[in-house]
Amino acid sequence: KCHSSIDCFNRCCGDVNLALSPYDVMRLRINLQIGSTEFMRKYAEVYPLSGNGFPCVMLSMRNDERQSCPFVTEEGCSVYDHRPGACRVYPLGRGASMDKEGKLSEEYILVRESHCEGFWEDVLPITVSDYLNNQGMKNYIEYDNRYIQVMHRWNARGRALDKKLFAKVFVAAYRPDELLNYLGDAAPSCDIVEKDDILSFETERLAFGLQWIEDVLFG
């Protein structure tokens, strides 16, 4: 039950290496009402992962003493409704992997940090499943898993993405709002239509981008 009356308020919002998933970036862009090019310029650092060469996007922290999150204020998180999955699931950490048969599994760890007073609250226990539901993690997990599955399928080939494939994956996963313009006349036909519900519209564009990545990498 994090709130401004406790001494550790905002203490977990700095000095962290926060990787952003494609779904994280999409939700943050919705909150900020900006396109992906502006988001990457202002808030992200991008580099290829060692081994498979897939894009990794890290949130750029402020250059202050605490290396604070760019979205944290004295009143708390300014993007709370669209905050990244790692922030939602805290103080849990989530890991997902695939076996050789393509079955995806996940595990959770409890992150005990000395500054967090939440561990000493007198509250009823809660299951991991209920906590994830309470934090609105369903779509975050679904789209994280889709990206992870693509990476694991590619890992079986034993080589990294070249620069050309890196650019395609990056645009489709992290900049799906620009994908159709990026493809130009080579864009496949799709049924993405403008919606009043911006979350549904952007999610549809991300789903299209992830499917296009699979088509490009695996045929």
Side-chain angles (χ1 to χ4, degrees):
K1 296 181 180 179
C2 191
H3 52 86
S4 59
S5 297
I6 53 178
D7 290 338
C8 63
F9 187 61
N10 286 343
R11 289 280 298 278
C12 56
C13 302
D15 195 20
V16 293
N17 296 316
L18 185 58
L20 299 174
S21 71
Y23 192 80
D24 287 335
V25 171
M26 183 202 77
R27 291 291 296 263
L28 288 171
R29 287 197 300 101
I30 290 173
N31 190 99
L32 300 168
Q33 299 182 19
I34 60 176
S36 56
T37 293
E38 185 176 356
F39 179 87
M40 293 298 165
R41 178 175 59 83
K42 288 184 175 180
Y43 302 111
E45 299 175 17
V46 184
Y47 61 87
L49 288 170
S50 60
N52 62 23
F54 270 69
C56 179
V57 175
M58 303 294 294
L59 182 64
S60 297
M61 297 298 180
R62 291 182 184 141
N63 189 24
D64 59 15
E65 184 178 353
R66 290 188 54 213
Q67 294 183 288
S68 305
C69 170
F71 308 123
V72 70
T73 69
E74 291 185 3
E75 291 75 32
C77 179
S78 65
V79 295
Y80 189 79
D81 289 342
H82 296 279
R83 65 198 185 280
C87 303
R88 288 173 180 266
V89 79
Y90 183 85
L92 296 179
R94 176 178 182 267
S97 60
M98 284 179 63
D99 60 24
K100 293 181 179 179
E101 285 70 43
K103 181 180 179 181
L104 190 142
S105 62
E106 61 181 2
E107 65 177 5
Y108 292 87
I109 60 172
L110 187 62
V111 182
R112 282 186 175 272
E113 296 186 291
S114 59
H115 65 256
C116 182
E117 298 181 8
F119 289 104
W120 318 120
E121 288 185 323
D122 185 16
V123 294
L124 293 174
I126 185 171
T127 65
V128 170
S129 178
D130 285 344
Y131 182 69
L132 296 178
N133 287 334
N134 291 347
Q135 297 303 312
M137 283 295 294
K138 181 178 181 294
N139 284 344
Y140 286 83
I141 291 174
E142 176 185 347
Y143 282 90
D144 287 356
N145 286 350
R146 287 188 63 175
Y147 193 56
I148 289 168
Q149 287 172 321
V150 171
M151 283 196 288
H152 278 272
R153 284 183 65 189
W154 181 262
N155 289 348
R157 301 196 170 188
R159 68 177 189 273
L161 297 177
D162 59 29
K163 290 183 178 181
K164 186 176 181 179
L165 286 177
F166 175 92
K168 289 182 176 181
V169 171
F170 178 55
V171 170
Y174 285 100
R175 299 166 68 175
D177 55 319
E178 300 176 356
L179 178 58
L180 293 181
N181 288 336
Y182 172 83
L183 295 175
D185 294 339
S189 60
C190 62
D191 298 324
I192 300 174
V193 294
E194 192 78 44
K195 294 181 174 68
D196 292 334
D197 177 4
I198 187 64
L199 178 57
S200 296
F201 175 60
E202 291 289 357
T203 302
E204 198 169 301
R205 292 206 289 193
L206 176 59
F208 171 77
L210 294 177
Q211 181 59 57
W212 185 78
I213 290 172
E214 291 193 57
D215 294 342
V216 167
L217 296 184
F218 310 113

